[in-house]
């Protein structure tokens, strides 16, 4: 009986390990790489649309590069960092950037970005989910 239990336990443990903790950078997901422009933010079921740019403001965008590198712009600042995905569309984003006076649109983006934990791709739309199903909704830039 002991000789059967030990191999069964080892096999179960190996199956568990092979299914958990697999982490791959998004560079293997070619659909995500490229430039994405923020169109809308959904917070507490309220949709906030991209405002008209004033002089001196930049589009809020993210550029997902190969090997997990990330670049972006907020309304007035440049961002650099990294991203990494795991199973079931989980994503981790980190980094930093300059800190010049943001617009309210830029502030919402900058404050949400570190809390992003899931992503979804749908027909040239990227949705980044954070805090209780809030969403950053991007369109692929051509």
């Amino acid at each position: 009986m002991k000789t059967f239990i030990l191999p069964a336990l080892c096999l179960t443990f190996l199956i568990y390990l092979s299914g958990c903790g697999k982490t791959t950078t998004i560079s293997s997901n070619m659909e995500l790489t490229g430039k994405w422009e923020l169109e809308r933010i959904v917070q507490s079921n309220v949709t906030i649309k991209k405002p008209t740019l004033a002089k001196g403001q930049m589009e809020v965008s993210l550029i997902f590069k190969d090997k997990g590198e990330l670049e972006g712009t907020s309304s007035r600042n440049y961002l650099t960092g990294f991203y990494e995905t795991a199973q079931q569309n989980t994503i981790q984003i980190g980094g930093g950037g300059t800190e010049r006076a943001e617009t309210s649109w830029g502030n919402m983006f900058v404050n949400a970005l570190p809390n992003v934990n899931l992503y979804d791709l749908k027909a040239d739309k990227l949705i980044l989910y954070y805090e209780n199903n809030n969403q950053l909704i991007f369109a692929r830039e051509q």
Side-chain angles (χ1 to χ4, degrees), residues 35 44 46 57 71 75 82 92 99 111 124 128 132:
K35 187 171 184 179
S44 303
V46 174
Q57 292 180 359
E71 291 181 1
S75 60
F82 69 91
Q92 178 184 4
E99 296 181 11
N111 291 332
D124 289 333
L128 298 178
N132 300 320

Side-chain angles (χ1 to χ4, degrees), residues 94-113:
T98 57
E99 296 181 11
R100 198 168 66 193
E102 287 288 353
T103 64
S104 60
W105 178 247
N107 271 329
M108 285 188 285
F109 169 70
V110 169
N111 291 332
L113 202 56

Side-chain angles (χ1 to χ4, degrees), residues 58-62 71-79 109:
M58 299 180 283
E59 293 288 349
V60 174
S61 66
L62 290 174
E71 291 181 1
T73 53
S74 58
S75 60
R76 294 200 171 126
N77 294 287
Y78 294 96
L79 311 168
F109 169 70

Side-chain angles (χ1 to χ4, degrees), residues 25 64 80 89 110-111:
T25 60
F64 292 89
T80 59
N89 289 4
V110 169
N111 291 332

Side-chain angles (χ1 to χ4, degrees), residues 1-30:
M1 183 76 153
K2 286 183 181 178
T3 46
F4 176 73
I5 292 174
L6 186 58
L9 286 174
C10 289
L11 181 60
T12 302
F13 184 68
L14 286 173
I15 291 170
Y16 175 78
L17 281 180
S18 67
C20 296
K22 284 185 182 177
T23 301
T24 57
T25 60
I26 211 82
S27 61
S28 63
N29 185 342
M30 297 310 290

Side-chain angles (χ1 to χ4, degrees), residues 32 64 83-85 89-93 116-119 128:
L32 187 60
F64 292 89
Y83 65 99
E84 187 173 55
T85 62
N89 289 4
T90 60
I91 187 168
Q92 178 184 4
I93 296 175
V116 167
N117 57 6
L118 293 170
Y119 74 96
L128 298 178

